[in-house]
Every structure is written in structure tokens, then in C-alpha cells.
Amino acid sequence: MNPTDLNDPEYFHRVIDCQFACPAHTPVPEYIRLIAEKKYAEAYMINWESNVFPGILGRVCDRPCEPACRRGRVEDKAVAICRLKRVCADNKGDVTHLLPGPSREKNGKRIALIGGGPASLTVARDLLPLGYSVDLYDDQIEAGGFVRSQVPSFRLPKKVLDEEVNIILNMGVVTHLNTYISSMKAFLTKGYDAVFVGTGAPRGRDLDLPGRQDAKAFVHIGIEWLAGVQYGHTQKTGKTTLVIGGGNTAMDCCRTARRLGGDNVKIIIRGARENMKASPWEIEDAIREDIPILEHLSPGEFVMAGDRLKGVTFQRMQGGKTDPETVFIPCDEVLLAVGQQNAFPWIEKDSGLTFDDKGRPRVDETTFQSDLDHVFFGGDAAFGPKNVITAVAHGHEAALSIDLFCNGKDLKKRPGPLTLLAGQKMGPRDWMYHSQVSDEVRQKVPMVSKVKSIKDRLMEVELGFNPKIGFKEALRCLNCDIQTVFTVDECIECDACVDVCPTTCINFIKNADEGDLRSRLLVPAKNNSQPLYVSDLLPTGRVMVKDEDLCLHCGLCAERCPTAAWDMQKYNYNPAKAGQK
Amino acid sequence: MNSRRPAFRHPDLPKNDLGYTRRDYEGGDSTLCAGCGHDSITNGIIQACFELSIEPHRVAKLSGIGCSSKTPAYFLNKSHGFNTVHGRMPAIATGANMANRDLLYIGVSGDGDTASIGMGQFVHVARRNLNMVYIVMNNGCYGLTKGQDSATADKGSSSRKGRPNPFEAIDLCEMAVQLGAGFVARGFSGDKEQLVPLLKAAILHKGFALVDVISPCVTFNNTETSTKSYHWVRDHMEASGTFDFIPERQEITARYEEGATQSVALHDGTVIHLHKSDNAFDVTQRRAAINALEDHREKGQILTGILHINETLQDTHDILETTDKPLNALTQEELCPGNQTLQQIFETYR
Ligand SMILES: Cc1cc2nc3c(=O)[nH]c(=O)nc-3n(C[C@H](O)[C@H](O)[C@H](O)COP(=O)(O)OP(=O)(O)OC[C@H]3O[C@@H](n4cnc5c(N)ncnc54)[C@H](O)[C@@H]3O)c2cc1C
Ligand SMILES: Cc1ncc(C[n+]2csc(CCOP(=O)(O)OP(=O)(O)O)c2C)c(N)n1
Ligand code: SF4
Ligand code: SF4
Ligand code: SF4
Ligand SMILES: [Mg+2]
């Protein structure tokens, strides 16, 4: 293998598993260390810069970082990254003085945002400080998009949502709420310099089965029903409610139903439980609220008794095949959570945009530009329903594109990330970070009692970590951003680092191609998603090869190295943002 | 600040025949200087015991005084151990071995502990051929007392103190061959590929097995002018040959070129195949070993590898005709067979 090129900004980025997995590349270990130091406001601001909604995401994020977390490979449970984010949001105090105010000088460019969800709000947040005028259009009465209309308050209190949405609105957004945009062509005549479409994926799939029309008063599309509950239009559900579907929307439907008088709520899925789309923790929460999951059932017919719903028939599925046996499940109400789609009835065919067979506009995956060069898409509207953090990441990239576009620059020539490698040594065996690896197991989140929380759909179920538990959990972080940096000329090949490394990462062996090297290491390197760090040739004709996969970033190699050939250096990685030169 | 080694290990660590991983052979965290050769030898011992699937509770670790003699605290923390007084490890090892011949005795000493204060003990334990592995972590200085020249420092070599050593050096390997040791080898802490097999062979050998391991003292004796520095040893090391083991149960499948290989069957049935280098000599012959050592010394080279092996010798227990059963396991009846047996013995003298 060729020696590792540390000038490649992605090399060490890959080693920071959580940050790499986070769509917005939040510097996770950096803010976790600040939490351990009780610097909650600073930790909050690092989050706010990257992911815009720390308080919201600290509760409802899909957390792609956690399955990626190194700790989950070293022991069984990842660091509770998401819960720690909430710790800094809950304890930050007043941060107004740290937030950017409205820009004093306008640059004369006008930007329109259609849709008021996280994607649009991120674009606004990134462009306002640069002097842009930003108009936001949304058909709801308040901004926030699906996070407001869909995500139940027992998971995300309105107060937290309002606070973080208002931070952005107060930066100078001109809102046009309660305003449905019904024609793209007409809208484009308003003459905005750029238009960002962040209208989400607002259409829930229906099930066109026998009896659907007759049962229409008792069968609801999940996302419409959830919005009705959030806005207070729907206040009750049937005693026995069936939720059909196995994704996160289904989990929100069933838990909401439990709080609206559904004493007997069941989830029905076509496949097996282990293949459910919903996040494991959401499934856990549903089960905790006494909601059973019935597997391998495919819905057949809605059966009425007079003008009331009697129940639903299902076909049992076994090994992908339908069993002739029919199962009848009596119920009073049904919620359908079987998928969500994009829909752009308001964009005319001849508006200049092209659509694929899924009805989605053609959008460039890095620039988020559409076929109309001043129209950009992002969030669920661009590539189908995902989650808040992905919408935020799209928002950042789209804002960067819009800024390049408005300055007449090439959108493909995007500025690179800002990176910095900084030494951490304070003295012998003394680092600027807490290098000791904690043996603590993942901390449990305290929750409100079930009896209490089922009675009130507005009561937040999770209480969050208090600062003490948060501190314990924060110390579990392995500081994967503190990198081991090797200087080949200093090494005397004494083996001290090889011997001390607790997880057998370091090897001195004859060079070869990657596959061969991986198989010949002291412990073969099987995780191909983590790189091998390879040095130049050493005096004995060997090379140093470090498998980054299970490095604990404990710093012992650097402490035991007599010549400081190993050093621990903090790697900062910040993706380019709008306005960056 | 003193860093504790984290408890986590690689989840894919290989297992040996006992189902143990290397971790089961580890000891406490080292307090030696960073980069000390002794730490590498420690890890060589861990690796050798792991690979041979040795049961940790069947091992006794013994040492004298010195940085080297501290290392038994850093390996095999599930084994028995005795950190004795300066230069007196052989006496304690002898006593322990006499009492319980069933354990594996691993003695760790330094060049000061062995070649100065302990020289008298060393020569006698060698000539009695006590069944033990005697490892010298040889750094040419008294590391623990801040780097004074030791008796193995080469004439003319100078440590960080800067004054060339005016005295002749003792070659412990050459002495051991002369004293009749059945296994004599030399290794280098910076070459585990050679060291681990040497330690394994020494462990399998029955009788006295000396492994003299050159082990640079990074703090006091790793200078340009020292013949025990990493650089100097790497540049002047010459191996007597490489070798591999064929354990007893395994069929011999590899075919070796005639004349290039010398086979020696060890006590437990394992066969060592030595692949000779260019300047090969017959390692089963004392005279050849001593000649080879002298030849290399004259050329300013360090001869490493297995230097001498003789599997036909008797160990101390054989020589003294002690009982097969360890003395510490003998019961009251066996030790004091009673008046009747005593009378019978008297009868034989009448
Ligand atoms: C039930 C449910 C629960 C969810 N839970 C989570 C969760 O826990 N964590 C998570 O990360 N994600 C969750 N999501 C997904 C998440 O809400 C979305 O991925 C995210 O909100 C997408 O953001 P966005 O900015 O693209 O658009 P959205 O948030 O969808 O906002 C789009 C806005 O545009 C408005 N709009 C649409 N068309 C027009 C128009 N023509 N004119 C004017 N306004 C228009 C919409 O009414 C809406 O307000 C959940 C989704 C659902 C349905
Ligand atoms: C009876 C006695 N005399 C002297 C000492 C002081 N002393 C401690 S260690 C040591 C020399 C150790 O040298 P070596 O065996 O080579 O070990 P190293 O530290 O080099 O590994 C001496 C002289 C002592 N501890 N006890
Ligand atoms: S241990 Fe810490 S830095 Fe490493 S992946 Fe997990 S959260 Fe990120
Ligand atoms: S920091 Fe160094 S010693 Fe610690 S796990 Fe990583 S490579 Fe091993
Ligand atoms: S501890 Fe330092 S000098 Fe020794 S092998 Fe490792 S990197 Fe090289
Ligand atoms: Mg010494």
C-alpha cells in the first residue's frame, strides 16, 4: 500500500465514526468533551452551527451516528450521543449573546423558501447572516414543517420546537404563513434571485382495499391523522385501534392512539418484526406502552357492521407466501402508516422542471440545483422522505449553492472542508483531553411513569439525563477525533507501542497490497469501512500499519513511545458552509 | 498523571488450545521507561506462553532486583511469583524447583543481577542444570540505579554517561555453554519474530535454558556509542539460522534440503528443525558453539539464535535421583514411613 496521505481531509474524518455518519457532520466528540466539562452553552453552539436544532435533535434525531459509534464495536452499546445533545440543550442557559443577529447590511439578493420545515429553516439560517433577504412560504399556521405537524409532543414539547424555530425566524425571515403555493409558474414571476423548495413528502399512502370507501370515517391516513391531533382537531380514537405499518410513523400513531383513549392498540405488520423499518428505540417505547406487534399479516378487507367499522380481515403471510387462512381482527378504528410520498400537484408540467417516474424533480445530488438554474430542492422534497438531520444537511449544501449561484460562481467548484490538526500534549502522559477510557456502561434515560404519561399526550415521556448522568455518559466517548499521528523518521522500532496497545491496532510488517496486509495483521482487519494507516518504509524494511477500526484513542502508544514518533492530535473537520471562501 | 491501560481488548483476539487469549497471560501495567526493551521481552514471554497453551497456574515466575527483575509483575498475573533479593534468584528457584518439580520455572534477571552480584549463583545453577528458563534482559547497564556500566558492557562501549568502558565484557552465553547448560540462545528485544520461538524452545527444553536477550535501555544506554543500542544491535546482529517447531502430535510434512537442516528432538517429542545460515555450525557441539561465538566477537558481530542445544543431559532431579513425585506433594506416610521401614533400612547395613 502507498503511505497514507494525511493531507486528504477525509482520512481522519472517516476515523471519527459518529461525525462521519452524521449527515451534517456534527463534531460529536468535541461537544461531548464540552459536556463533560459542564460547558453546556459552548457544546450547544457547536451543535447549533452544524445541525441547527440541537434541542429538537437531542430528542427526535434518527441518530445515524449511534450505530456507527466505535464504542459499539468495542463493547455492545454505543455512546448515547443523541441524549447527550439534549443535555447541552437542556442546560445551556441563555445563549442569545452567542447567536448571530440579523445582518446589518443587505446584499440586495432576495431568496424565497417554499415550505417551512427544517431544510428551509437551515437555508435561512445560513443565508441571513450573509445579507440575503429571505421570504418563507408555508401552508401551515406556524413554521416548523413536519416536525411541528407530525412529531408528537410527548416526544418533542412545543416549547423546545418553538425556541429553536424562533431563533431562526428572529434572524430576519419574512414569513408568509397559511399560504399554500398553488402554482410554481406564477410563483416564479415574483422575480426572486433564487428559490428553495423544501415542501417535504406530504402525501401518505392509502390502502385501496374492499370496504375502504364505506369505512372512510374510521380509517385514516396516519400522517393526516397525526397532524389533526397536533393541531387539536382530533381528540379521541376508538377503544380498539389497529395501526397498519411498521415504520416510525406507525410508532407515533400507536403511541398517540394510546393517549387518545385507545386502550387496546395493536400494530400490524406484513413482515417479521426483525425487519421492521422503525428505529429500535421507537419500537421499544411502543412495547413499553403495552402495544403488541402482530407479524406476517397482510390486510384484506375493511368489514362494516351497519354504519360502524367491525374489523379488518388479514391474510397470514409465511415465508413470503400468502397463507389461505384468513384472520379477522375486530376494531373500532384503523390508522394507515404504510408509506409516504412526494407530491407536487402545484408544479406545472411546463414549468421547466423535469420529474422522474417517482414524481420527483430532477435534482443534482451535490448542488441540489434543479433543471431551472435558480431553483433548488432539499429535504424530503429532493430525494424522498428521510429525517430532520438529512434535511438540515441538504439545507447547508443548498445554501452554499445558492450563495455561489448568486455570486456568479461555478456550483461544482465547492470549497473544501475546514480542517485542523492540533497537538494535545501538555507534558509527559498529560493530554489536553481525558484519555482514560471509562468502563461505564451506557446510561439509561429516566422516564415519566407510564400511567402518568399515557394520560397526557403533551407530557414528554423522556426526562433526559441530568448533568450527573450526562457526565458519566460523556466520559464513555472514546474521543475518536483525537488522532494518532505517526512520524516515520522518529521511530526506532522498539515495539513499545505494539506491546502496549490494548486493542492490538499497531503492526510492523512487510508491505503488501491492502487485502494481503489486512489478512496478515496481528489481528486481521475485517472492517473495511475503517482505513489502514500505513507509513513509509522503516530502516528494517518494514512499514507501520495501524488498523484504525478499534483504536480507543487512549494515547498509550504515544505515552509509551520513547521518541514521540506517535503523537495525539485533535482533528477538526468542518464541512464548507455558505459564505466560506 | 499515570495512565491505566483500558480494559477493552480486540474482540477477535485468537484463542489457543486452552481457549485462552493473550489477555489471560497479561500482567499489570508496566512502570518501566517508555520504549524499554524489557517491555518487549515481557510481551515475548506472554506470546510464547500463549502459543504453547501453558496453563498460567502451572508457572512460577522468579526474579532478582533491577528493572528487568520488575517485569514478572507485567506478565502472567495468574501465575505464582517470587521477587527475591539482588542476584539471589537462582537460589530461590533451586529451592522451589526441589520442592515442586512439576511447575514451569521462568526466571527473569538482568545483566547486573546475573553477571555482577549474582554471578556465583548463576554459574552454579547452570552447572547443576536446574530445569528452568533463565532469561537475562541484557542492557549492558544497571538501569534501575541510573545506568552504571555492567559487566556485560562491551569494552570501549559508552553509555549516556559518556566514558568508554575500560573492562572486558562477560559473555553469559559462552559461559553457560562452558558450564554445561543444555540450552543456550541469544535474542534481541527488537526482533520478536526470532525471540518468541527462542523462548518457546527454551520453555520446552528440559534442564537449564539460558536466553540472553539484548534489551536496550532507552534512557541510559541507547546512545550512538553504545553497543547495546537499538541501532547498533540491528546493524551488527547475525543469526545462527532460523528454525521451526513440529509439535509431537503433528506429522512432519515439510521437506528440508539435505545438509541445510539440523533436527533436534526435544524432551516432549517436539522436533526443532534448524535452517542454517551461511556461517552455520553444529549447535549440538559445545566446541562449535564457543568457536562461533568467538569468531563473531572478533568480527564485532553479535551472534543470535539457538547457540547450543543438548537434549541428552540430566537435570538436577535426575542427577540427585529424587522421587518423581514432587516433594511438596509427598504425604506424611511417604515422608515418615514409620519405625518398621526404618528397621528394614537398618537391616541393610548390618
Ligand atoms: C409521523 C412522523 C414522524 C417523524 N419523526 C421523525 C423523527 O422522530 N426524527 C426525524 O429526524 N424525522 C422524523 N420524521 C421525518 C421528518 O419530519 C422529515 O424528514 C423532515 O421534517 C423533512 O423536513 P423538510 O424540511 O424537508 O420538510 P417538512 O418538514 O416536511 O416541511 C415541509 C413543509 O412544507 C409545507 N408545504 C408543502 N407543500 C407546500 C406548498 N405547496 N406551499 C406551501 N407550503 C407547502 C408543508 O405543509 C410543511 O409544513 C417524521 C415524519 C413523520 C411523518
Ligand atoms: C544487595 C544489593 N546491592 C545493590 C543494590 C542496588 N541495585 C539495584 S538494581 C541494581 C542493578 C540492576 O542491574 P540489572 O540487573 O542489569 O537490571 P536493569 O535495571 O538494568 O534491568 C543494583 C546494583 C540492591 N538493590 N541490592
Ligand atoms: S466513541 Fe465518541 S468519538 Fe468515537 S464514535 Fe463514539 S461518540 Fe464518536
Ligand atoms: S491510541 Fe494508540 S495505544 Fe490507544 S488504542 Fe489507539 S493505537 Fe492503541
Ligand atoms: S513506540 Fe515509538 S519508536 Fe517504538 S516502535 Fe512504536 S512508534 Fe516506533
Ligand atoms: Mg541491566
Side-chain angles (χ1 to χ4, degrees):
Chain A
M1 280 180 83
N2 289 329
T4 300
D5 178 13
L6 294 186
N7 289 321
D8 171 5
E10 293 307 309
Y11 180 77
F12 281 138
H13 185 204
R14 250 169 98 189
V15 177
I16 317 173
D17 304 84
C18 47
Q19 183 176 18
F20 189 70
C22 174
H25 303 309
T26 305
V28 175
E30 179 83 350
Y31 82 69
I32 292 185
R33 275 191 299 275
L34 288 168
I35 291 172
E37 291 169 33
K38 301 195 167 56
K39 293 182 179 156
Y40 303 116
E42 282 97 323
Y44 183 85
M45 287 313 294
I46 285 187
N47 273 291
W48 190 79
E49 292 289 342
S50 301
N51 54 50
V52 193
F53 305 105
I56 295 171
L57 289 167
R59 292 169 165 84
V60 306
C61 188
D62 253 1
R63 333 172 186 169
C65 54
E66 292 193 17
C69 174
R70 179 171 300 251
R71 187 105 191 176
R73 300 199 293 276
V74 178
E75 57 164 336
D76 63 333
K77 290 232 171 68
V79 173
I81 301 172
C82 183
R83 293 311 173 251
L84 286 171
K85 200 190 305 295
R86 174 171 169 182
V87 171
C88 71
D90 285 358
N91 297 287
K92 65 184 183 304
D94 185 9
V95 290
T96 29
H97 60 290
L98 300 171
L99 297 166
S103 60
R104 262 161 283 141
E105 257 172 68
K106 288 284 163 198
N107 68 1
K109 305 278 185 192
R110 295 168 57 240
I111 311 296
L113 310 173
I114 309 181
S120 290
L121 291 170
T122 301
V123 176
R125 210 271 321 251
D126 285 2
L127 293 182
L128 282 165
L130 303 178
Y132 289 88
S133 301
V134 175
D135 290 359
L136 180 142
Y137 297 83
D138 192 285
D139 57 357
Q140 306 291 314
I141 46 166
E142 281 176 287
F146 263 25
V147 188
R148 187 177 295 283
S149 66
Q150 297 292 319
V151 179
S153 302
F154 57 83
R155 287 205 290 128
L156 175 64
K158 183 171 172 356
K159 203 175 124 241
V160 177
L161 174 64
D162 285 345
E163 179 186 352
E164 290 186 337
V165 169
N166 287 339
I167 288 178
I168 297 168
L169 297 184
N170 293 341
M171 286 168 75
V173 179
V174 179
T175 52
H176 304 265
L177 296 169
N178 241 332
T179 308
Y180 180 74
I181 305 304
S182 54
S183 160
M184 179 63 129
K185 274 166 86 175
F187 191 82
L188 292 179
T189 61
K190 290 181 190 272
Y192 284 102
D193 292 291
V195 175
F196 176 80
V197 182
T199 51
R203 182 171 295 168
R205 258 190 64 204
D206 202 345
L207 277 184
D208 191 17
L209 297 171
R212 172 72 177 95
Q213 274 317 304
D214 300 334
K216 92 173 174 256
F218 310 100
V219 179
H220 316 282
I221 290 179
I223 62 172
E224 289 169 9
W225 183 80
L226 283 171
V229 175
Q230 282 292 86
Y231 288 117
H233 310 314
T234 304
Q235 285 166 351
K236 274 196 80 63
T237 185
K239 263 206 165 6
T240 302
T241 298
L242 300 187
V243 177
I244 301 181
N248 283 338
T249 302
M251 301 305 117
D252 280 342
C253 285
C254 65
R255 296 180 67 197
T256 303
R258 283 288 279 127
R259 286 159 173 77
L260 298 192
D263 293 340
N264 190 358
V265 180
K266 296 186 178 86
I267 297 169
I268 318 257
I269 54 174
R270 280 173 63 104
R273 203 174 126 182
E274 56 270 24
N275 299 331
M276 276 170 79
K277 273 214 199 121
S279 314
W281 56 89
E282 301 228 9
I283 299 175
E284 240 170 69
D285 288 340
I287 292 171
R288 177 175 172 267
E289 293 175 0
D290 308 314
I291 301 165
I293 299 171
L294 312 182
E295 312 169 279
H296 307 297
L297 291 171
S298 173
E301 187 181 349
F302 299 101
V303 182
M304 297 290 287
D307 55 2
R308 295 211 62 81
L309 180 67
K310 191 172 160 216
V312 186
T313 64
F314 293 90
Q315 222 71 50
R316 201 169 279 291
M317 310 277 293
Q318 272 319 339
K321 280 192 230 97
T322 342
D323 205 299
E325 184 203 346
T326 301
V327 184
F328 177 76
I329 304 181
C331 63
D332 308 313
E333 211 146 339
V334 178
L335 304 174
L336 301 175
V338 290
Q340 199 190 325
Q341 292 160 329
N342 289 96
F344 299 97
W346 55 282
I347 302 184
E348 294 84 351
K349 290 267 166 320
D350 60 350
S351 61
L353 295 166
T354 39
F355 289 82
D356 65 12
D357 46 0
K358 285 197 178 118
R360 282 191 215 135
R362 225 170 66 187
V363 177
D364 185 284
E365 284 184 23
T366 41
T367 64
F368 293 86
Q369 195 177 34
S370 71
D371 287 347
L372 282 172
D373 64 0
H374 72 305
V375 177
F376 298 81
F377 282 73
D380 287 357
F383 309 113
K386 299 253 158 43
N387 49 39
V388 176
I389 189 66
T390 305
V392 168
H394 289 180
H396 284 313
E397 288 300 323
L400 177 59
S401 291
I402 291 170
D403 185 47
L404 290 170
F405 178 78
C406 289
N407 285 296
K409 294 205 181 119
D410 184 351
L411 270 57
K412 292 276 182 192
K413 290 203 183 109
R414 307 175 85 72
L418 292 177
T419 64
L420 183 71
L421 258 182
Q424 295 291 295
K425 199 171 183 131
M426 303 216 291
R429 302 183 181 195
D430 198 5
W431 306 102
M432 286 163 75
Y433 73 107
H434 186 270
S435 61
Q436 208 89 92
V437 174
S438 156
D439 300 332
E440 207 60 71
V441 294
R442 183 174 165 123
Q443 303 295 303
K444 286 211 169 59
V445 194
M447 300 208 206
V448 175
S449 85
K450 193 165 69 184
V451 183
K452 249 166 121 185
S453 70
I454 294 289
K455 284 195 193 121
D456 180 0
R457 76 165 177 91
L458 299 179
M459 179 184 286
E460 189 172 15
V461 175
E462 287 193 8
L463 295 167
F465 290 154
N466 63 27
K468 221 169 125 190
I469 309 178
F471 174 75
K472 265 198 199 170
E473 186 63 29
L475 287 189
R476 290 183 72 236
C477 173
L478 297 171
N479 302 291
C480 301
D481 60 339
I482 314 277
Q483 307 297 346
T484 54
V485 179
F486 184 74
T487 310
V488 67
D489 298 336
E490 299 291 340
C491 176
I492 57 171
E493 299 178 67
C494 70
D495 261 11
C497 53
V498 178
D499 294 336
V500 79
C501 178
T503 42
T504 325
C505 305
I506 304 172
N507 300 260
F508 288 90
I509 64 175
K510 284 259 172 314
N511 205 349
D513 61 47
E514 179 163 356
D516 190 17
L517 273 185
R518 280 183 178 273
S519 70
R520 282 196 295 118
L521 299 188
L522 288 170
V523 182
K526 291 193 204 131
N527 179 3
N528 289 326
S529 71
Q530 278 289 312
L532 295 185
Y533 185 173
V534 182
S535 78
D536 244 318
L537 221 54
L538 285 149
T540 56
R542 302 177 297 173
V543 287
M544 186 292 299
V545 181
K546 180 191 164 205
D547 178 9
E548 299 278 13
D549 186 24
L550 291 169
C551 172
L552 305 171
H553 302 265
C554 65
L556 282 180
C557 49
E559 289 181 16
R560 297 304 293 168
C561 178
T563 63
W566 284 112
D567 190 22
M568 304 308 290
Q569 298 185 13
K570 182 165 86 176
Y571 187 61
N572 281 349
Y573 177 100
N574 284 296
K577 295 252 163 66
Q580 183 178 311
K581 293 291 172 284
Chain B
M1 284 280 273
N2 212 350
S3 302
R4 192 172 45 89
R5 199 161 176 241
F8 297 117
R9 294 292 176 273
H10 200 301
D12 296 342
L13 278 185
K15 293 205 164 104
N16 65 14
D17 290 347
L18 298 173
Y20 293 154
T21 66
R22 261 190 65 115
R23 174 188 212 135
D24 300 303
Y25 295 86
E26 288 178 3
D29 292 353
S30 170
T31 57
L32 302 182
C33 302
C36 177
H38 298 354
D39 279 335
S40 264
I41 305 171
T42 296
N43 275 273
I45 298 169
I46 292 172
Q47 187 65 25
C49 291
F50 161 75
E51 287 180 18
L52 290 175
S53 295
I54 285 169
E55 295 172 295
H57 69 281
R58 307 297 309 160
V59 177
K61 316 172 281 185
L62 301 117
S63 62
I65 297 293
C67 299
S68 33
S69 294
K70 284 169 73 178
T71 62
Y74 316 141
F75 61 84
L76 292 176
N77 64 1
K78 296 189 180 90
S79 298
H80 310 277
F82 201 139
N83 187 189
T84 74
V85 279
H86 206 12
R88 269 57 181 169
M89 177 268 280
I92 307 293
T94 306
N97 192 317
M98 285 302 103
N100 185 359
R101 61 187 295 170
D102 274 1
L103 297 183
L104 166 63
Y105 291 91
I106 300 181
V108 176
S109 179
D111 43 322
D113 193 61
T114 292
S116 293
I117 193 169
M119 183 51 100
Q121 301 237 333
F122 171 72
V123 295
H124 291 289
V125 75
R127 66 178 265 281
R128 287 175 187 148
N129 205 19
L130 189 75
N131 186 17
M132 74 176 296
V133 179
Y134 192 116
I135 298 166
V136 180
M137 300 185 173
N138 187 348
N139 54 14
C141 69
Y142 300 167
L144 192 70
T145 53
K146 302 227 167 335
Q148 300 84 349
D149 290 334
S150 78
T152 65
D154 288 308
K155 192 170 172 185
S157 169
S158 56
S159 69
R160 214 181 72 183
K161 302 240 153 56
R163 225 170 51 109
N165 169 35
F167 303 114
E168 278 298 332
I170 292 175
D171 184 332
L172 291 170
C173 290
E174 211 173 310
M175 275 186 82
V177 175
Q178 190 276 323
L179 290 163
F183 182 97
V184 179
R186 179 171 285 144
F188 170 44
S189 70
D191 185 356
K192 279 211 202 75
E193 236 173 283
Q194 182 196 46
L195 178 62
V196 173
L198 285 181
L199 291 169
K200 283 164 74 177
I203 289 170
L204 293 178
H205 172 79
K206 185 183 168 225
F208 188 76
L210 172 73
V211 187
D212 176 28
V213 191
I214 301 175
S215 174
C217 169
V218 274
T219 306
F220 298 111
N221 201 12
N222 194 33
T223 54
E224 298 275 315
T225 50
S226 164
T227 59
K228 298 257 186 315
S229 69
Y230 281 104
H231 286 290
W232 207 92
V233 178
R234 273 212 178 93
D235 288 350
H236 296 81
M237 200 171 137
E238 192 68 44
S240 66
T242 57
F243 61 94
D244 41 38
F245 288 97
I246 311 289
E248 187 185 17
R249 293 172 299 276
Q250 202 173 307
E251 211 185 316
I252 300 174
T253 48
R255 293 183 68 276
Y256 300 106
E257 227 178 284
E258 194 96 24
T261 298
Q262 186 174 10
S263 302
V264 181
L266 295 180
H267 183 74
D268 75 330
T270 301
V271 179
I272 295 183
H273 293 277
L274 295 130
H275 315 298
K276 299 183 195 163
S277 62
D278 292 344
N279 36 23
F281 58 95
D282 184 352
V283 294
T284 59
Q285 301 300 315
R286 281 168 62 158
R287 185 190 297 271
I290 290 186
N291 282 346
L293 281 164
E294 281 298 316
D295 289 347
H296 281 81
R297 193 182 59 79
E298 276 167 20
K299 284 187 271 177
Q301 288 170 337
I302 306 164
L303 185 62
T304 63
I306 295 181
L307 305 174
H308 178 56
I309 180 165
N310 183 350
E311 284 298 299
T312 64
L313 297 176
Q314 291 192 306
D315 85 334
T316 319
H317 282 284
D318 299 335
I319 298 166
L320 297 179
E321 295 181 45
T322 57
T323 65
D324 286 346
K325 196 168 181 184
L327 294 179
N328 72 342
L330 292 180
T331 59
Q332 173 94 26
E333 292 82 76
E334 287 166 305
L335 282 169
C336 296
N339 194 29
Q340 205 185 332
T341 313
L342 185 66
Q343 293 311 324
Q344 282 170 8
I345 293 171
F346 285 163
E347 270 318 305
T348 62
Y349 292 107
R350 277 185 220 276

